Amino acid sequence: MDIFNFKAVCSRTGKGEAYQYSFHNTLPVKSMFYVRLGKSIGDLKELLFQSDASIVGVHCMGGGGKTSLALTLCDDPNIKGCFRNIVFIIVSQSPNLKGILETIWEKIFRRNVPEFQNVEDAHIQLQQRLLKQSKPTLVVLDDVWSRANLEKLLFEARGYKTLVTTRDGSIIPRNPYTRLYQLPLLNKEDALSLFCLSAFGQTSIPSTADANLVIEVQEECKGLPLALKVVGSSLYREPHVAWENAKKILSLGESLSSYHSEGVFRCLETSIDCLDDVGRTQATISYRCAPELSFSQHDVMRDLALYLGCQDSIVHRKRLLMPRKEHCLSEEWELLRDRQVNAQIVSIHTGSMAENDWYEMNLSKTEALVLHFSASEYFLPPFLKTMKKLKILIVCNLGSERSTIKGLDALSSLTQLRSVHLERLVAPTIPKQGKVIQNLDKLSLSLCEGFVKMSTFNDTNLQEFNLDHCSDLEELPLAMCHMPSSQSWSLTNCHLVEKLPYNIGNMSFLRMFRLLALPGLKELLVSIGKLEQLEFLDKASLGETFCNPECNLL
């Protein structure tokens, strides 16, 4: 059986949950991991190449290898030779359908996306346009959860085929043009190879290991690829007692099947139990290592985090997480109305929220608040004013257009707030938030408008300041150079910026300065030479990277 490897490179499209994967020149000599997919790849190609098949659905339980199979298929030479367009889209449980349709248009037709009024309008225009072209096209819709969402992403056209991966095969429409494929779990031989690769860095049991114990632990993973990799990795270089403990815990779990998700979680939970207090995966990353850093997480591992976070009563949880399942607050959260909540971390995902849509909750012990939403307008929760211990605030609009944010005056009372990240927001005309800015250590604004103009930067303690895709930004306020504690500045994709403040040399403690994708910026001021502590200056917008000989640079 052939061994297939893969490594996908993905980039955000700025349209919610839609991603574009590039499959060209991405396969390394030594891949990150190997999965034996030869037979399944052959089965899928046979289904896709049937002349009367337009939809192929791949289904199995979470963590069974659906995404790995789809990615490997897209990199297959026969597939790339057959289809001129290959588009890979992550749909997810709460997709931004309009954004996904915009991405499909952009990647297939390679031209500006029309101004779609809504999802229905986007689907109609896409369908009409696809009927006028005959390029062989394969669109992969990965991780689809509902038939209602799937129906809005399916099209009929000559040479157009769709591959769908899902945990629930019943969402795939049944008709003469549809084919279903149930991805089997790994057999014993392949499961042991994958487990050993994760646990020992090789595809067989080393002579120094207890072979019987290794096989017993591996068999408890029941051939589920994700469980094999996660449990195996958690036992890497662990002593014999850790293996015995993992075997004991795994043997108490339920069988791993699509009807026993808790059994999967109990299996994966052993990887959490093996971590020490700090966490063995912790690493120190210097800004000199790479210009951009990112990580991905399997959706089953996300579900595991939600599962573990829900074991206690909602009032006593240390992490209070609400994934989006509806546009408003979950009914379960009504239990928190006018009650003291002990959670240190709170994450809320909703649709549009008005001031009166929020419950009055006592989150005085919360230190980190994450607010995700998809809407044209959003009102920050009124209880934000009472969160006296809040240190981190993240507000992200996952919609395709910027959203007007209201209720920002609540931030003025948060004296402990140290880090703020805002994404795809527009600030209304409100009083300056100088008091908030002065207390912050880190401020990040991405795809935002109006925030720089409304803020006061004189004598602030900001150590890290990031501006990205701020389309209304024409010049930086002079006051921004009066931030004596600043160590890191990043200004990227702000196309209207033509010059930097003349007094930029006042930031005597600045160590890192990034200027990327600034087509209007033509030169750097002489005063930048006063930055004696500067270690890294990246000005790729001018076509080169400037390095001071006195600086210790990579």
Side-chain angles (χ1 to χ4, degrees), residues 427-551:
T429 304
I430 62 173
K432 296 180 179 181
Q433 302 295 307
K435 185 177 180 180
V436 178
I437 298 295
Q438 288 178 357
N439 293 327
L440 290 180
D441 294 329
K442 179 178 180 180
L443 176 62
S444 297
L445 304 175
S446 177
L447 294 160
C448 290
E449 294 181 0
F451 287 90
V452 175
K453 296 178 181 179
M454 67 172 239
S455 301
T456 299
F457 294 92
N458 283 313
D459 300 322
T460 66
N461 295 317
L462 271 177
Q463 297 181 22
E464 183 175 342
F465 187 58
N466 304 308
L467 293 175
D468 179 56
H469 281 98
C470 295
S471 58
D472 67 326
L473 183 63
E474 298 181 3
E475 60 180 358
L476 299 173
L478 294 177
M480 293 182 64
C481 296
H482 295 284
M483 297 190 294
S485 301
S486 289
Q487 297 185 25
S488 173
W489 257 40
S490 178
L491 183 64
T492 58
N493 298 291
C494 299
H495 294 178
L496 298 182
V497 174
E498 297 183 354
K499 61 181 180 179
L500 300 176
Y502 71 87
N503 57 345
I504 198 170
N506 292 345
M507 297 187 295
S508 57
F509 290 97
L510 196 65
R511 299 175 59 192
M512 193 275 282
F513 199 9
R514 292 184 64 218
L515 302 169
L516 300 179
L518 304 173
L521 186 63
K522 303 303 181 184
E523 61 180 352
L524 296 180
L525 300 175
V526 176
S527 62
I528 204 169
K530 298 180 181 180
L531 303 177
E532 298 179 354
Q533 301 296 319
L534 192 65
E535 298 178 5
F536 184 86
L537 174 58
D538 187 356
K539 58 182 186 68
S541 62
L542 300 184
E544 60 177 323
T545 299
F546 169 84
C547 295
N548 186 330
E550 302 298 326
C551 298

Side-chain angles (χ1 to χ4, degrees), residues 163-370:
L163 178 71
V164 181
T165 73
T166 180
R167 301 185 191 184
D168 182 5
S170 67
I171 73 168
I172 307 295
R174 302 298 200 270
N175 59 55
Y177 310 105
T178 299
R179 303 292 185 271
L180 280 180
Y181 180 73
Q182 182 168 3
L183 180 61
L185 298 180
L186 298 180
N187 59 38
K188 290 184 178 180
E189 178 186 354
D190 294 340
L192 182 60
S193 296
L194 180 58
F195 181 79
C196 288
L197 185 64
S198 301
F200 306 113
Q202 61 186 58
T203 57
S204 59
I205 302 175
S207 58
T208 56
D210 184 335
N212 291 331
L213 180 58
V214 171
I215 292 174
E216 288 174 342
V217 173
Q218 171 261 314
E219 288 180 344
E220 292 294 343
C221 297
K222 311 300 181 185
L224 185 69
L226 180 63
L228 290 163
K229 289 185 285 186
V230 172
V231 174
S233 298
S234 69
L235 293 171
Y236 180 69
R237 292 184 177 177
E238 289 295 321
H240 183 84
V241 64
W243 284 78
E244 288 285 0
N245 187 51
K247 171 191 169 184
K248 179 180 178 181
I249 295 174
L250 288 169
S251 64
L252 299 176
E254 301 177 55
S255 61
L256 300 181
S257 72
S258 58
Y259 302 102
H260 292 90
S261 60
E262 288 195 10
V264 178
F265 294 150
R266 289 176 184 171
C267 180
L268 298 177
E269 191 176 354
T270 60
S271 66
I272 305 297
D273 296 334
C274 289
L275 293 175
D276 56 28
D277 292 337
V278 177
R280 293 189 293 108
T281 59
Q282 182 176 348
T284 300
I285 302 175
S286 169
Y287 58 74
R288 288 177 258 176
C289 294
E292 297 291 345
L293 298 170
S294 63
F295 70 93
S296 60
Q297 181 184 47
H298 196 286
D299 58 351
V300 175
M301 298 304 293
R302 175 203 63 200
D303 293 344
L304 172 63
L306 295 173
Y307 168 78
L308 295 176
C310 295
Q311 297 306 296
D312 295 327
S313 164
I314 188 171
V315 178
H316 299 102
R317 294 173 191 169
K318 292 183 178 180
R319 297 174 179 85
L320 195 56
L321 312 175
M322 191 190 84
R324 181 177 180 183
K325 295 183 179 179
E326 46 198 316
H327 290 287
C328 56
L329 292 176
S330 169
E331 291 183 1
E332 183 185 20
W333 283 49
E334 281 209 59
L335 297 173
L336 304 177
R337 192 189 295 268
D338 300 320
R339 298 186 64 174
Q340 172 67 57
V341 179
N342 295 322
Q344 291 180 300
I345 301 174
V346 176
S347 176
I348 304 174
H349 190 167
T350 64
S352 177
M353 295 292 287
E355 183 176 11
N356 295 330
D357 292 334
W358 293 100
Y359 304 146
E360 193 60 45
M361 293 184 285
N362 186 348
L363 299 177
S364 59
K365 296 183 179 181
T366 300
E367 297 183 12
L369 176 63
V370 180

Side-chain angles (χ1 to χ4, degrees), residues 381-420:
F383 56 73
L384 196 60
K385 297 179 180 179
T386 65
M387 301 177 69
K388 302 301 183 183
K389 291 187 178 181
L390 190 66
K391 297 179 181 178
I392 300 173
L393 175 64
I394 300 174
V395 184
C396 291
N397 168 27
L398 302 181
S400 57
E401 304 293 338
R402 289 179 175 86
S403 171
T404 300
I405 189 78
K406 298 180 180 180
L408 285 168
D409 56 318
L411 302 184
S412 61
S413 61
L414 303 179
T415 58
Q416 298 299 313
L417 194 60
R418 294 294 178 265
S419 177
V420 172

